[in-house]
PDB file of all heavy atoms in Angstrom:
ATOM      1  N   ALA A  68       0.455  13.659   8.086  1.00  0.00           N
ATOM      2  CA  ALA A  68       1.503  13.145   8.956  1.00  0.00           C
ATOM      3  C   ALA A  68       0.923  12.733  10.313  1.00  0.00           C
ATOM      4  O   ALA A  68       1.363  11.726  10.907  1.00  0.00           O
ATOM      5  CB  ALA A  68       2.590  14.203   9.160  1.00  0.00           C
ATOM      6  N   PHE A  69      -0.029  13.487  10.804  1.00  0.00           N
ATOM      7  CA  PHE A  69      -0.700  13.148  12.055  1.00  0.00           C
ATOM      8  C   PHE A  69      -1.398  11.792  11.946  1.00  0.00           C
ATOM      9  O   PHE A  69      -1.290  10.932  12.843  1.00  0.00           O
ATOM     10  CB  PHE A  69      -1.720  14.237  12.384  1.00  0.00           C
ATOM     11  CG  PHE A  69      -2.402  14.072  13.720  1.00  0.00           C
ATOM     12  CD1 PHE A  69      -1.891  14.685  14.843  1.00  0.00           C
ATOM     13  CD2 PHE A  69      -3.549  13.321  13.851  1.00  0.00           C
ATOM     14  CE1 PHE A  69      -2.499  14.545  16.074  1.00  0.00           C
ATOM     15  CE2 PHE A  69      -4.178  13.168  15.066  1.00  0.00           C
ATOM     16  CZ  PHE A  69      -3.651  13.789  16.181  1.00  0.00           C
ATOM     17  N   GLY A  70      -2.104  11.567  10.829  1.00  0.00           N
ATOM     18  CA  GLY A  70      -2.795  10.292  10.628  1.00  0.00           C
ATOM     19  C   GLY A  70      -1.832   9.121  10.535  1.00  0.00           C
ATOM     20  O   GLY A  70      -2.094   8.047  11.087  1.00  0.00           O
ATOM     21  N   ARG A  71      -0.710   9.308   9.836  1.00  0.00           N
ATOM     22  CA  ARG A  71       0.285   8.228   9.733  1.00  0.00           C
ATOM     23  C   ARG A  71       0.920   7.934  11.094  1.00  0.00           C
ATOM     24  O   ARG A  71       1.233   6.778  11.410  1.00  0.00           O
ATOM     25  CB  ARG A  71       1.351   8.597   8.704  1.00  0.00           C
ATOM     26  CG  ARG A  71       0.892   8.419   7.266  1.00  0.00           C
ATOM     27  CD  ARG A  71       2.036   8.605   6.301  1.00  0.00           C
ATOM     28  NE  ARG A  71       2.466   9.990   6.199  1.00  0.00           N
ATOM     29  CZ  ARG A  71       1.986  10.863   5.317  1.00  0.00           C
ATOM     30  NH1 ARG A  71       1.079  10.492   4.449  1.00  0.00           N
ATOM     31  NH2 ARG A  71       2.431  12.113   5.285  1.00  0.00           N
ATOM     32  N   THR A  72       1.095   8.978  11.920  1.00  0.00           N
ATOM     33  CA  THR A  72       1.647   8.768  13.263  1.00  0.00           C
ATOM     34  C   THR A  72       0.678   7.952  14.119  1.00  0.00           C
ATOM     35  O   THR A  72       1.084   7.046  14.844  1.00  0.00           O
ATOM     36  CB  THR A  72       1.949  10.111  13.931  1.00  0.00           C
ATOM     37  OG1 THR A  72       2.831  10.879  13.102  1.00  0.00           O
ATOM     38  CG2 THR A  72       2.602   9.898  15.282  1.00  0.00           C
ATOM     39  N   VAL A  73      -0.613   8.290  14.033  1.00  0.00           N
ATOM     40  CA  VAL A  73      -1.618   7.526  14.781  1.00  0.00           C
ATOM     41  C   VAL A  73      -1.684   6.080  14.283  1.00  0.00           C
ATOM     42  O   VAL A  73      -1.811   5.136  15.081  1.00  0.00           O
ATOM     43  CB  VAL A  73      -2.997   8.207  14.662  1.00  0.00           C
ATOM     44  CG1 VAL A  73      -4.096   7.333  15.289  1.00  0.00           C
ATOM     45  CG2 VAL A  73      -2.990   9.578  15.329  1.00  0.00           C
ATOM     46  N   LEU A  74      -1.575   5.896  12.967  1.00  0.00           N
ATOM     47  CA  LEU A  74      -1.574   4.539  12.391  1.00  0.00           C
ATOM     48  C   LEU A  74      -0.377   3.744  12.911  1.00  0.00           C
ATOM     49  O   LEU A  74      -0.521   2.593  13.366  1.00  0.00           O
ATOM     50  CB  LEU A  74      -1.521   4.617  10.870  1.00  0.00           C
ATOM     51  CG  LEU A  74      -1.355   3.279  10.130  1.00  0.00           C
ATOM     52  CD1 LEU A  74      -2.560   2.398  10.351  1.00  0.00           C
ATOM     53  CD2 LEU A  74      -1.122   3.514   8.637  1.00  0.00           C
ATOM     54  N   LEU A  75       0.810   4.351  12.870  1.00  0.00           N
ATOM     55  CA  LEU A  75       2.005   3.675  13.365  1.00  0.00           C
ATOM     56  C   LEU A  75       1.860   3.355  14.848  1.00  0.00           C
ATOM     57  O   LEU A  75       2.191   2.234  15.283  1.00  0.00           O
ATOM     58  CB  LEU A  75       3.230   4.567  13.146  1.00  0.00           C
ATOM     59  CG  LEU A  75       4.549   4.066  13.743  1.00  0.00           C
ATOM     60  CD1 LEU A  75       4.983   2.775  13.068  1.00  0.00           C
ATOM     61  CD2 LEU A  75       5.630   5.126  13.618  1.00  0.00           C
ATOM     62  N   LEU A  76       1.353   4.296  15.612  1.00  0.00           N
ATOM     63  CA  LEU A  76       1.211   4.097  17.057  1.00  0.00           C
ATOM     64  C   LEU A  76       0.237   2.955  17.346  1.00  0.00           C
ATOM     65  O   LEU A  76       0.505   2.084  18.172  1.00  0.00           O
ATOM     66  CB  LEU A  76       0.731   5.406  17.697  1.00  0.00           C
ATOM     67  CG  LEU A  76       0.840   5.516  19.209  1.00  0.00           C
ATOM     68  CD1 LEU A  76       1.060   6.976  19.604  1.00  0.00           C
ATOM     69  CD2 LEU A  76      -0.400   5.012  19.901  1.00  0.00           C
ATOM     70  N   THR A  77      -0.912   2.937  16.656  1.00  0.00           N
ATOM     71  CA  THR A  77      -1.929   1.918  16.894  1.00  0.00           C
ATOM     72  C   THR A  77      -1.432   0.529  16.522  1.00  0.00           C
ATOM     73  O   THR A  77      -1.539  -0.424  17.309  1.00  0.00           O
ATOM     74  CB  THR A  77      -3.213   2.253  16.115  1.00  0.00           C
ATOM     75  OG1 THR A  77      -3.662   3.570  16.459  1.00  0.00           O
ATOM     76  CG2 THR A  77      -4.301   1.248  16.439  1.00  0.00           C
ATOM     77  N   VAL A  78      -0.891   0.390  15.313  1.00  0.00           N
ATOM     78  CA  VAL A  78      -0.457  -0.922  14.843  1.00  0.00           C
ATOM     79  C   VAL A  78       0.750  -1.412  15.648  1.00  0.00           C
ATOM     80  O   VAL A  78       0.794  -2.571  16.103  1.00  0.00           O
ATOM     81  CB  VAL A  78      -0.118  -0.865  13.335  1.00  0.00           C
ATOM     82  CG1 VAL A  78       0.452  -2.205  12.875  1.00  0.00           C
ATOM     83  CG2 VAL A  78      -1.351  -0.508  12.537  1.00  0.00           C
ATOM     84  N   ALA A  79       1.735  -0.538  15.855  1.00  0.00           N
ATOM     85  CA  ALA A  79       2.958  -0.949  16.536  1.00  0.00           C
ATOM     86  C   ALA A  79       2.673  -1.348  17.985  1.00  0.00           C
ATOM     87  O   ALA A  79       3.159  -2.379  18.463  1.00  0.00           O
ATOM     88  CB  ALA A  79       3.982   0.179  16.499  1.00  0.00           C
ATOM     89  N   LEU A  80       1.864  -0.561  18.708  1.00  0.00           N
ATOM     90  CA  LEU A  80       1.583  -0.872  20.103  1.00  0.00           C
ATOM     91  C   LEU A  80       0.853  -2.201  20.255  1.00  0.00           C
ATOM     92  O   LEU A  80       1.171  -2.994  21.143  1.00  0.00           O
ATOM     93  CB  LEU A  80       0.765   0.250  20.748  1.00  0.00           C
ATOM     94  CG  LEU A  80       1.500   1.536  21.092  1.00  0.00           C
ATOM     95  CD1 LEU A  80       0.597   2.474  21.868  1.00  0.00           C
ATOM     96  CD2 LEU A  80       2.751   1.268  21.913  1.00  0.00           C
ATOM     97  N   ASN A  81      -0.111  -2.445  19.399  1.00  0.00           N
ATOM     98  CA  ASN A  81      -0.869  -3.713  19.500  1.00  0.00           C
ATOM     99  C   ASN A  81       0.001  -4.908  19.152  1.00  0.00           C
ATOM    100  O   ASN A  81      -0.080  -5.954  19.830  1.00  0.00           O
ATOM    101  CB  ASN A  81      -2.099  -3.648  18.601  1.00  0.00           C
ATOM    102  CG  ASN A  81      -3.230  -2.831  19.208  1.00  0.00           C
ATOM    103  OD1 ASN A  81      -3.943  -3.281  20.080  1.00  0.00           O
ATOM    104  ND2 ASN A  81      -3.378  -1.603  18.746  1.00  0.00           N
ATOM    105  N   LEU A  82       0.806  -4.796  18.119  1.00  0.00           N
ATOM    106  CA  LEU A  82       1.712  -5.895  17.763  1.00  0.00           C
ATOM    107  C   LEU A  82       2.740  -6.141  18.873  1.00  0.00           C
ATOM    108  O   LEU A  82       3.026  -7.296  19.227  1.00  0.00           O
ATOM    109  CB  LEU A  82       2.406  -5.606  16.438  1.00  0.00           C
ATOM    110  CG  LEU A  82       1.570  -5.725  15.173  1.00  0.00           C
ATOM    111  CD1 LEU A  82       2.380  -5.305  13.950  1.00  0.00           C
ATOM    112  CD2 LEU A  82       1.054  -7.151  14.991  1.00  0.00           C
ATOM    113  N   GLU A  83       3.309  -5.063  19.389  1.00  0.00           N
ATOM    114  CA  GLU A  83       4.296  -5.204  20.463  1.00  0.00           C
ATOM    115  C   GLU A  83       3.674  -5.843  21.694  1.00  0.00           C
ATOM    116  O   GLU A  83       4.311  -6.668  22.380  1.00  0.00           O
ATOM    117  CB  GLU A  83       4.886  -3.833  20.817  1.00  0.00           C
ATOM    118  CG  GLU A  83       5.794  -3.267  19.737  1.00  0.00           C
ATOM    119  CD  GLU A  83       6.108  -1.811  19.954  1.00  0.00           C
ATOM    120  OE1 GLU A  83       5.856  -1.309  21.088  1.00  0.00           O
ATOM    121  OE2 GLU A  83       6.591  -1.156  19.015  1.00  0.00           O
ATOM    122  N   MET A  84       2.434  -5.485  22.013  1.00  0.00           N
ATOM    123  CA  MET A  84       1.761  -6.052  23.172  1.00  0.00           C
ATOM    124  C   MET A  84       1.521  -7.543  23.000  1.00  0.00           C
ATOM    125  O   MET A  84       1.804  -8.348  23.892  1.00  0.00           O
ATOM    126  CB  MET A  84       0.448  -5.314  23.420  1.00  0.00           C
ATOM    127  CG  MET A  84      -0.269  -5.728  24.702  1.00  0.00           C
ATOM    128  SD  MET A  84      -1.403  -7.115  24.489  1.00  0.00           S
ATOM    129  CE  MET A  84      -2.714  -6.314  23.534  1.00  0.00           C
TER     130      MET A  84
END
Side-chain angles (χ1 to χ4, degrees):
F69 185 92
R71 282 188 289 268
T72 304
V73 173
L74 173 65
L75 174 65
L76 195 150
T77 304
V78 175
L80 285 186
N81 282 282
L82 286 176
E83 290 167 15
M84 187 271 289

